[in-house]
Amino acid sequence: MAMTMHCNIVSAEKEIFSGRVTMLVATGSLGELGIMPGHAPLLTGLRPGPVRLLMDNGEEEVFFASGGFLEVQPGITTVLADTALRADDLDEAAAIEARDAAEKGVADQGAEFNFSVAAAQLAEASARLRTLDELRKRKR
Amino acid sequence: MAAAREIKDKIGGIQNTQKITSAMEMVAASKMRKTQDRMREGRPYATRIRAVIGHLANAAPEYRHAFMEDRAVKKVGYIVISTDKGLCGGLNVNLFRTLVKDMSEWKSKGIDSQFGLVGNKAISFFNSFGGEVTATVNHLGEAPSMNDLIGGVKVMIDAFEDGEIDRLYIACNKFESAMTQTPEINQLLPLLAEDDEEIKHRWDYLYEPEARELIEGLIERYIESQVYQAVVENSACEQAAKMMAMKNATDNAGSLIDELTLLYNNVRQAAITQEIAEIVGGAAAV
């Protein structure tokens, strides 16, 4: 049996996942991270994106986190997400629409334009789509 | 028959009260369900972030935030979370009693307290009790939002940062079940280290990106989530306590009505007997 660690994913609204995993892949603020059991203590911010969990039995689960924090202790990892979803619950049409709206916002900069807000929206929408892609790849 | 009439009126009055209390009981029961859901949803995040902060306080970080320094205590601060409305039994009174006890323990060591209050009941309690109140928040409603709270909380946190207070506690009711709510006083600042032997040795996190930025962000989230959770929990307590209080009131009204009905029947029977006795006595005299 592969080594496992405990993993908790919580969002401000509810507990999303709690169980044993062999590996966790998330998008940290400096890039993608793969965390395996016994990892040195780590604290990092999360960027909007998919969080992939590899289970004991070889199965994979994908979640979407819209930002937050990731804490790693040798035997336990905790994802404190702002909002998190099971990737299956993501709505592709809504995500595409949100991305298009955000892209349009970035492209056409009117008088009262808040670039950082639009950029954040765009990042989140494309992260949602990235999560969906990931999910589709896996299903095939 | 004057006495009978009076009793009858009294029964009518109590019946009206009973109708009101039983309606309030039902309203509280349905609200309790909603507030309980809200409380349950927030709990995992609040517990997890408290654990992470517990680890962080144990670590020997390269960057020490002001909130991590355990200073000599000269003054303590409390954020007191109470309800806006009354009619919820001993909920607020129990909380204030616990708080006053805690305060007088500090007082005996010559340490003063200051308060940030949430909810009308705390405000009116401290109006008569006295004490240094630096912030008040009220009328949060059933779905409190962090935005409404943050102002009052910020005052207390700033006081901690400026060194005005050296400990910050949060006093609120903890929801055990619909029947029991217990007042609790938890330390918010400085961050409390978790007692975990396994991670006692000196270590530090790897930080991505900068320790300072991360820790500040995390602490901010932590405080927000703890205060929000306390408020949500307290509102679940409020509805549960209100439901119980109103149920008791309805039951008491019921037994009062039973007693008065018995009395009314007695009085009426006595009056009838007396009338018959008078008629019989009158007939005998003729």
Side-chain angles (χ1 to χ4, degrees):
Chain A
M1 199 181 91
M3 279 237 299
T4 60
M5 58 182 173
H6 200 84
C7 173
N8 294 305
I9 301 183
V10 293
S11 78
E13 291 105 39
K14 62 179 171 205
E15 176 146 43
I16 310 283
F17 175 85
S18 175
R20 302 205 69 86
V21 301
T22 51
M23 184 160 140
L24 174 146
V25 181
T27 326
S29 44
L30 293 187
E32 292 232 349
L33 295 160
I35 310 286
M36 295 184 79
H39 195 287
L42 167 84
L43 203 57
T44 180
L46 283 180
R47 268 200 273 162
V51 176
R52 267 192 310 134
L53 300 180
L54 254 74
M55 303 294 164
D56 215 4
N57 53 11
E59 270 179 42
E60 228 183 71
E61 280 220 48
V62 182
F63 298 89
F64 170 77
S66 72
F69 295 95
L70 170 72
E71 191 228 13
V72 181
Q73 289 285 350
I76 182 164
T77 37
T78 310
V79 178
L80 298 164
D82 296 341
T83 51
L85 289 171
R86 276 185 189 274
D88 301 338
D89 297 341
L90 277 178
D91 181 350
E92 179 163 19
I96 289 176
E97 199 174 296
R99 185 191 58 185
D100 291 349
E103 266 173 357
K104 213 172 136 211
V106 174
D108 120 67
Q109 308 195 356
E112 291 167 54
F113 181 73
N114 190 337
F115 186 79
S116 57
V117 170
Q121 277 170 354
L122 179 58
E124 179 167 342
S126 34
R128 278 173 192 261
L129 287 171
R130 213 143 36 84
T131 312
L132 282 166
D133 276 346
E134 191 102 25
L135 195 66
R136 207 169 298 128
K137 245 188 291 168
R138 201 166 43 100
K139 275 190 181 147
R140 221 172 272 146
Chain B
M1 284 300 273
R5 159 108 280 139
E6 242 169 60
I7 295 169
K8 191 103 198 173
D9 285 351
K10 209 165 194 178
I11 291 176
I14 295 170
Q15 269 169 342
N16 284 339
T17 311
Q18 193 187 27
K19 269 182 214 151
I20 294 170
T21 55
S22 85
M24 284 175 85
E25 180 195 335
M26 284 185 269
V27 170
S30 82
K31 277 187 185 166
M32 185 181 75
R33 224 158 292 141
K34 258 180 263 160
T35 51
Q36 241 175 306
D37 287 345
R38 206 168 287 133
M39 174 190 78
R40 260 194 223 112
E41 283 163 3
R43 249 189 196 173
Y45 190 86
T47 355
R48 295 290 172 216
I49 200 164
R50 187 158 352 122
V52 171
I53 288 284
H55 294 158
L56 185 66
N58 253 335
E62 54 190 66
Y63 165 71
R64 286 201 68 87
H65 195 275
F67 292 166
M68 295 157 91
E69 304 295 346
D70 203 352
R71 303 185 292 234
V73 182
K74 292 185 290 294
K75 196 167 190 186
V76 293
Y78 293 93
I79 296 176
V80 186
I81 304 201
S82 71
T83 65
D84 267 335
K85 291 178 189 151
L87 289 180
C88 47
L91 190 73
N92 290 316
V93 181
N94 287 342
L95 178 69
F96 297 147
R97 197 178 299 145
T98 317
L99 181 65
V100 168
K101 206 172 130 218
D102 198 69
M103 248 165 57
S104 47
E105 260 167 45
W106 285 112
K107 191 99 191 164
S108 64
K109 296 181 205 154
I111 293 161
D112 277 333
S113 322
Q114 82 177 45
F115 305 92
L117 307 177
V118 178
N120 279 333
K121 288 289 151 186
I123 296 173
S124 63
F125 173 77
F126 279 95
N127 268 344
S128 55
F129 182 79
E132 188 188 332
V133 176
T134 47
T136 58
V137 180
N138 58 357
H139 299 303
L140 283 172
E142 260 123 47
S145 82
M146 199 56 226
N147 284 344
D148 301 333
L149 276 168
I150 201 73
V153 173
K154 186 108 186 17
V155 173
M156 298 305 281
I157 291 170
D158 287 349
F160 184 88
E161 240 177 337
D162 300 342
E164 250 179 79
I165 53 174
D166 308 295
R167 287 276 168 87
L168 182 59
Y169 293 96
I170 184 160
C172 72
N173 282 291
K174 186 173 165 52
F175 187 93
E176 309 270 7
S177 71
M179 308 294 279
T180 38
Q181 299 88 32
T182 39
E184 259 189 3
I185 297 179
N186 293 320
Q187 182 171 331
L188 198 62
L189 295 174
L191 306 180
L192 220 46
E194 202 180 60
D195 282 327
D196 192 342
E197 288 303 321
E198 256 180 63
I199 50 174
K200 264 285 150 68
H201 60 90
R202 278 185 72 82
W203 56 278
D204 192 12
Y205 284 110
L206 304 166
Y207 298 95
E208 277 182 29
E210 282 301 308
R212 189 194 158 94
E213 212 176 292
L214 257 175
I215 292 176
E216 270 170 8
L218 195 62
I219 288 177
E220 189 185 317
R221 273 298 147 70
Y222 163 72
I223 291 169
E224 279 179 13
S225 82
Q226 296 303 306
V227 174
Y228 179 77
Q229 189 59 24
V231 169
V232 175
E233 192 130 350
N234 201 64
S235 87
C237 288
E238 176 189 1
Q239 297 306 335
K242 186 170 276 177
M243 189 183 80
M244 286 313 293
M246 289 302 113
K247 185 174 162 27
N248 287 339
T250 310
D251 292 352
N252 288 345
S255 57
L256 210 55
I257 289 170
D258 287 349
E259 269 169 42
L260 285 174
T261 311
L262 205 62
L263 188 65
Y264 171 74
N265 289 341
N266 276 340
V267 169
R268 192 191 55 181
Q269 196 55 53
I272 293 170
T273 314
Q274 195 191 344
E275 261 171 47
I276 291 175
E278 275 165 13
I279 292 167
V280 171
V286 173

